[in-house]
Amino acid sequence: MKILVTGGAGFVGSHLCKRLLKEDHEVICLDNFFTGNKDNILKLMDNKKFEVIRHDVTFPLYIEVDQIYNLACPASPVHYQFDPVQTTKVCVHGAINMLGLAKRTKAKILQASTSEVYGDPEVHPQTEKYWGKVNPIGIRSCYDEGKRCAETLFFDYYRQHKLDIRVIRIFNTYGPNMHPNDGRVISNFIMQALQNKNITIYGDGSQTRSFQYVDDLIDIMMKMMNNKNGFIGPVNTGNPKEFTIKELAEKVLEMIPESKSKIIYEELPQDDPKQRKPDITLAKKELGWEPTIPLEKGLKKTIAYFRKFVDVKK
Ligand code: NAD
Ligand code: UDP
């Protein structure tokens, strides 16, 4: 099949492109390289079935494809808050353009949505039936509301134009190919520990997150796209093992024993969700999927990846 991956040079997209090539598909990686990186896809360049297009999804695209994975969008709060108007455009105009492409080519299309559609949730763990608690005018809204609107568009194209859609809601995911300065908690803590800098916990560190290793995410993405039981989602994907941010900081320090870093506490950003943990009952039932990689195993691989950046600097 000819498969388009928007945001293909980013963290998740680069893993997806690699896996699709391994399965012998033709892969078109589309990216404007805002947060993505050519290094992430360098090893794929030799493959004749791999093609890269520099393009911004907020503009229409005319190509022929069988499947579309729509990932283009900065995912880290630091990056999506850098140019919030563009973030909303990427979510909304990007979705409209890619849905239009899917409509014209009759391609199946999967949306990389997010646990942020639940906002700062009052329901714990979060099930897909929960509609969320999102601030429409805060600093996270460009991303949260943008992604919510993208879900609306996907379901309206499904109802109105009978498009073959899939929607997954991704909870915090980590692994190699993350941007070392993207400001997300895993990359921050590991880079800080490797460079003997202070480990910056925002707030008192009691807020929780559940961390999914990227390989588990790629498994469910492909299962979701190719399922034959008519299940379109939305479906949660994440690792239900929940950690406080303080526990995460301690785990990272334990795994980098040579680090001289100390934990410090900084102000909690506005609207930072207090707790987050996916209920993955639906993914198990409909797709027979559950994550297999525990935090310690995933962190080991991620730390090894980040060491390369620090070693280069030395
Ligand atoms: P990332 O920032 O590493 O990747 C996003 C990619 O999209 C980058 O390569 C970037 O250059 C590209 N991009 C941004 N704007 C674009 C535009 N206008 N046109 C074309 N390309 C553009 O982030 P990621 O972690 O790989 O996330 C991928 C997708 O998964 C995103 O849609 C994100 O919202 C979603 N997601 C990720 C997580 C996570 O924890 N990683 C959680 C929830 C949802
Ligand atoms: N966080 C932190 N220190 C950092 C970066 C993040 O304490 O250096 C916290 C952040 O406030 C949030 C959690 O870690 O509570 C996860 O943040 P991230 O930016 O990775 O993603 P989010 O889940 O908030 O979108």
Side-chain angles (χ1 to χ4, degrees), residues 90-305:
V90 176
C91 292
V92 178
H93 294 190
I96 291 171
N97 288 330
M98 291 308 112
L99 286 161
L101 176 65
K103 186 172 165 225
R104 183 177 62 76
T105 57
K106 299 189 171 53
K108 206 189 276 184
I109 179 164
L110 179 144
Q111 168 69 354
S113 191
T114 169
S115 53
E116 288 284 324
V117 300
Y118 302 123
D120 190 4
E122 305 124 309
V123 169
H124 196 74
Q126 293 79 54
T127 64
E128 292 83 351
K129 287 206 169 83
Y130 178 51
W131 289 353
K133 182 183 157 227
V134 176
N135 175 359
I137 55 167
I139 55 171
R140 295 176 86 102
S141 313
C142 57
Y143 184 75
D144 298 11
E145 297 288 21
K147 288 283 190 179
R148 285 169 68 94
C149 184
E151 284 201 12
T152 306
L153 284 162
F154 267 69
F155 277 82
D156 280 335
Y157 268 79
Y158 167 70
R159 283 183 289 257
Q160 196 176 332
H161 298 300
K162 312 283 172 267
L163 240 66
D164 201 353
I165 64 156
R166 302 285 185 272
V167 175
I168 60 168
R169 292 181 178 156
I170 306 171
F171 284 63
N172 297 62
T173 303
Y174 69 100
N177 293 5
M178 285 183 95
H179 196 296
N181 302 319
D182 77 359
R184 283 186 268 194
V185 70
I186 296 246
S187 42
N188 264 15
F189 285 1
I190 296 177
M191 287 301 286
Q192 288 163 345
L194 290 175
Q195 296 171 294
N196 299 315
K197 293 183 177 166
N198 289 333
I199 307 275
T200 53
I201 290 184
Y202 303 155
D204 62 5
S206 63
Q207 71 271 41
T208 67
R209 294 292 186 274
S210 311
F211 299 101
Q212 163 175 248
Y213 188 68
V214 64
D215 289 358
D216 284 329
L217 171 60
I218 302 302
D219 282 345
I220 190 173
M221 272 185 150
M222 293 176 58
K223 274 191 175 210
M224 186 61 180
M225 180 67 109
N226 298 307
N227 82 63
K228 300 270 185 279
N229 58 1
F231 177 58
I232 60 171
V235 65
N236 288 339
T237 159
N239 191 319
K241 182 94 182 70
E242 186 181 8
F243 294 88
T244 66
I245 293 304
K246 186 156 185 279
E247 283 169 340
L248 176 72
E250 287 163 354
K251 172 65 65 197
V252 167
L253 281 175
E254 182 190 309
M255 294 186 66
I256 307 179
E258 74 279 15
S259 176
K260 297 184 182 61
S261 297
K262 298 267 175 295
I263 292 177
I264 60 161
Y265 294 86
E266 294 187 351
E267 203 180 329
L268 189 69
Q270 188 199 334
D271 294 338
D272 198 286
K274 282 177 274 310
Q275 51 181 4
R276 186 182 288 154
K277 167 180 161 152
D279 182 320
I280 57 163
T281 312
L282 193 62
K284 278 189 201 163
K285 178 173 164 264
E286 295 289 346
L287 304 167
W289 173 92
E290 60 184 314
T292 57
I293 301 162
L295 184 66
E296 195 154 317
K297 191 172 168 196
L299 278 182
K300 208 171 159 191
K301 294 181 190 205
T302 313
I303 291 168
Y305 160 77

